[in-house]
Amino acid sequence: MTLRVAETREGRWTVLQVRGELDLVSSPVVRQRVHDAVAAGDRQVVLDLSGVFFCDSSGVGVLVAARRLMRSCQGRLRLVLPARGAEEGSHVNRVLAALGVRRLFEVYADAASAADDEASPLSA
C-alpha cells in the first residue's frame, strides 16, 4: 500500500493524516510535509498516525527529526497513536515503545484531542 498524507486544520493546529506504510521508501514524504508546514508558518503540527499499519526505523527517524525540527522553531508536535488495533496505529505505538522513544512524544488518541490545548496526552 502506498503512503498517503492528507492535510487538514483543527483550530490552530495543522493535522497531517498519514495512511499506509511508513518505511524507507515513504518516510521522506512525511519529512517533506512537516518541512512544508513549517515553511508555511505552521508551528503546531499533529501527525495522525492512526492509519499507519507498518513503521520501520526510517519512519521512527522521521518522527524524531520532526520533533527536533518543531522544537528548533519553538513549535509543537503531537502524535495520534490509538492503543488498539493494527489499523488504528498500535503497531507504531509498539515500535516507538520498543525503541525507547515513545516518551519523547506527546501522544493522543485522536486528532481532536491532540488539537485541544486542554487535553492531556496519553501516558506512555
Side-chain angles (χ1 to χ4, degrees), residues 3 22-35 58-59 62:
L3 183 91
L22 189 53
D23 58 18
L24 180 64
V25 173
S26 63
S27 58
V29 173
V30 174
R31 180 186 311 266
Q32 187 61 52
R33 293 298 294 269
V34 172
H35 280 267
S58 302
V62 164

Side-chain angles (χ1 to χ4, degrees), residues 11-73:
R12 297 177 297 138
W13 291 81
T14 297
V15 179
L16 298 176
Q17 185 179 42
V18 183
R19 301 183 90 55
E21 296 181 19
L22 189 53
D23 58 18
L24 180 64
V25 173
S26 63
S27 58
V29 173
V30 174
R31 180 186 311 266
Q32 187 61 52
R33 293 298 294 269
V34 172
H35 280 267
D36 290 348
V38 169
D42 296 326
R43 295 296 181 266
Q44 295 179 306
V45 175
V46 173
L47 283 177
D48 182 349
L49 305 175
S50 59
V52 174
F53 58 87
F54 176 80
C55 179
D56 68 7
S57 59
S58 302
V60 173
V62 164
L63 298 179
V64 172
R67 177 184 179 271
R68 189 178 314 118
L69 173 65
M70 295 308 296
R71 290 173 63 96
S72 73
C73 66

Side-chain angles (χ1 to χ4, degrees), residues 85-97:
E87 67 283 352
E88 296 171 355
S90 65
H91 172 77
V92 179
N93 214 354
R94 286 192 312 268
V95 169
L96 294 178

Side-chain angles (χ1 to χ4, degrees), residues 10-13 46 76 78 106 108 110-121:
E10 228 9 274
R12 297 177 297 138
W13 291 81
V46 173
R76 297 166 71 193
R78 292 180 172 178
E106 289 182 68
Y108 294 81
D110 55 56
S113 298
D116 180 354
D117 289 326
E118 302 298 317
S120 296

